[in-house]
Amino acid sequence: MDFLQLKYFKDAAKFENFSIAAKHNFVPQPSISKAVKNLEAELGVSLFDRAGKNIYLNDNGKYMYKRTKEIFNILDDCTKRFSNYKSNSIDIYIQEGSFFIPRLVADFTMVHPNTTFHYPTVSEVLRSKKLPFDFTFMAMQEDMSQYDYTLLCEDNLVLLVSLEHPLAKQDIVSLSDLKNENFVSYYETISHRILSDRLCRQVGHFFPHYVYETHDEFIVLHWVSTNVGVTLIPENFYYSRPYRNIKVLKLDQTIPCQVVLAWEKNKNLSNAEKEFLDFTVEWFKKNIK
């Protein structure tokens, strides 16, 4: 009994037709007939009842077909699982920390040069019916039920304003004082924006007025520096890559922001993904205080 013999039997049993099974496997019909006859001889039972050119599964054949399907289902599961472990490509959806991810990825590829990275866009994520990425860097949300995740750092939110902005004369500001300000930030589907909106509503009792939205942290910083609007950002994230012509204002109420690396709930991580996860956790300990 061998793998090919079982496959030919399974297809012949599925169609109850040797000719169709042969076409399905791109082999001549005698190959299917011979495989089935050899299998019957080895088992010592007939698997089909024959009526002229027609064949029908008998009780033995039905039992054998059921168990053979189970074997092939197990093999398919193994193939899917372990093909995932061979992948050296990682898709990262950037919701938080676009300024540090190039440094992180560069450091990782120095150690793992065969791993490649792809960065799905906001539109790709919105169009997809399932998560089109392996990992996402994001601000912790109230509902994280669709993810597994690891905490990378805890930070406090601060307000960034241009040095030309009237608020630049202050060192501390209240969220409630910002209700008439123009804001620049990320698209409303990105985790940091969701967090900022929720805090402004719950703590400041207003909904921010956005004049520009983007997915790029550098663009947000540029708009702030040119006095287009203000923005909320994790403090240590900003100070790891400060921008010209910007004043950092503390909030009079400590507002924490937790940054996590998240992935699909119950996903089997590939070897490359496990390496990236472990590397990222250690990299944050060293580089993001």
Side-chain angles (χ1 to χ4, degrees):
M1 188 183 303
D2 59 36
F3 177 84
L4 192 59
Q5 195 177 49
L6 288 175
K7 185 177 188 312
Y8 286 173
F9 162 74
K10 179 177 72 72
D11 292 338
K14 176 181 178 181
F15 301 114
E16 289 190 316
N17 188 297
F18 288 165
S19 296
I20 296 176
K23 290 179 181 178
H24 185 73
N25 287 278
F26 303 100
V27 296
Q29 179 180 329
S31 297
I32 304 294
S33 300
K34 182 178 179 181
V36 171
K37 284 184 179 180
N38 289 342
L39 181 60
E40 288 178 322
E42 187 170 346
L43 295 173
V45 296
S46 64
L47 301 172
F48 294 94
D49 290 333
R50 294 162 172 83
K53 294 184 178 180
N54 298 320
I55 60 171
Y56 306 95
L57 281 172
N58 59 28
D59 289 342
N60 295 328
K62 290 176 182 177
Y63 177 82
M64 188 66 183
Y65 179 47
K66 176 183 176 182
R67 301 314 296 259
T68 303
K69 283 198 301 181
E70 292 173 356
I71 293 171
F72 278 85
N73 287 337
I74 292 171
L75 291 174
D76 286 343
D77 286 343
C78 290
T79 299
K80 290 176 182 177
R81 178 183 178 90
F82 294 116
S83 64
N84 185 40
Y85 279 75
K86 296 176 184 177
S87 173
N88 285 326
S89 177
I90 298 176
D91 293 341
I92 299 176
Y93 178 42
I94 304 172
Q95 301 187 66
E96 188 76 58
S98 58
F99 69 91
F100 70 75
I101 289 176
R103 294 165 50 205
L104 166 63
V105 168
D107 289 346
F108 180 81
T109 52
M110 287 288 290
V111 182
H112 305 279
N114 294 324
T115 302
T116 58
F117 291 86
H118 172 254
Y119 305 94
T121 63
V122 174
S123 60
E124 285 180 280
V125 173
L126 292 178
R127 288 197 307 266
S128 179
K129 294 182 180 179
K130 61 179 183 177
L131 296 183
F133 53 81
D134 300 310
F135 291 112
T136 181
F137 290 89
M138 63 185 293
M140 178 81 82
Q141 302 296 294
E142 289 183 300
D143 182 9
M144 295 289 290
S145 58
Q146 73 178 123
Y147 298 109
D148 286 324
Y149 59 90
T150 186
L151 178 65
L152 296 177
C153 69
E154 294 184 284
D155 209 346
N156 293 323
L157 290 181
V158 293
L159 182 74
L160 303 185
V161 301
S162 167
L163 291 177
E164 281 76 46
H165 195 288
L167 287 175
K169 298 176 182 179
Q170 302 177 203
D171 294 319
I172 300 176
V173 68
S174 171
L175 267 184
S176 59
D177 294 335
L178 306 178
K179 62 182 178 180
N180 295 320
E181 295 294 334
N182 290 330
F183 277 75
V184 293
S185 189
Y186 307 103
Y187 294 120
E188 62 183 355
T189 56
I190 295 179
S191 63
H192 181 86
R193 165 71 179 275
I194 296 171
L195 174 64
S196 297
D197 287 352
R198 177 169 61 82
L199 292 171
C200 286
R201 288 195 306 271
Q202 294 179 353
V203 180
H205 307 293
F206 72 96
F207 188 84
H209 174 247
Y210 290 100
V211 290
Y212 282 106
E213 299 170 302
T214 181
H215 68 281
D216 192 316
E217 200 154 2
F218 288 109
I219 295 177
V220 172
L221 295 180
H222 176 71
W223 283 333
V224 171
S225 73
T226 54
N227 207 20
V228 172
V230 303
T231 197
L232 294 166
I233 195 171
E235 181 176 16
N236 290 329
F237 273 27
Y238 172 72
Y239 279 121
S240 68
R241 196 72 175 266
Y243 203 86
R244 65 185 184 278
N245 204 45
I246 286 180
K247 173 74 179 288
V248 178
L249 303 182
K250 299 278 190 180
L251 299 175
D252 64 354
Q253 181 175 346
T254 300
I255 300 178
C257 173
Q258 295 177 310
V259 179
V260 302
L261 179 61
W263 58 97
E264 184 178 7
K265 190 80 173 177
N266 299 323
K267 178 185 178 182
N268 291 317
L269 298 181
S270 70
N271 288 335
E273 289 163 356
K274 289 178 181 177
E275 290 168 347
F276 181 74
L277 172 60
D278 293 341
F279 186 93
T280 298
V281 170
E282 292 303 315
W283 190 90
F284 259 75
K285 291 178 182 178
K286 297 176 183 176
N287 293 279
I288 307 294
K289 304 300 183 182

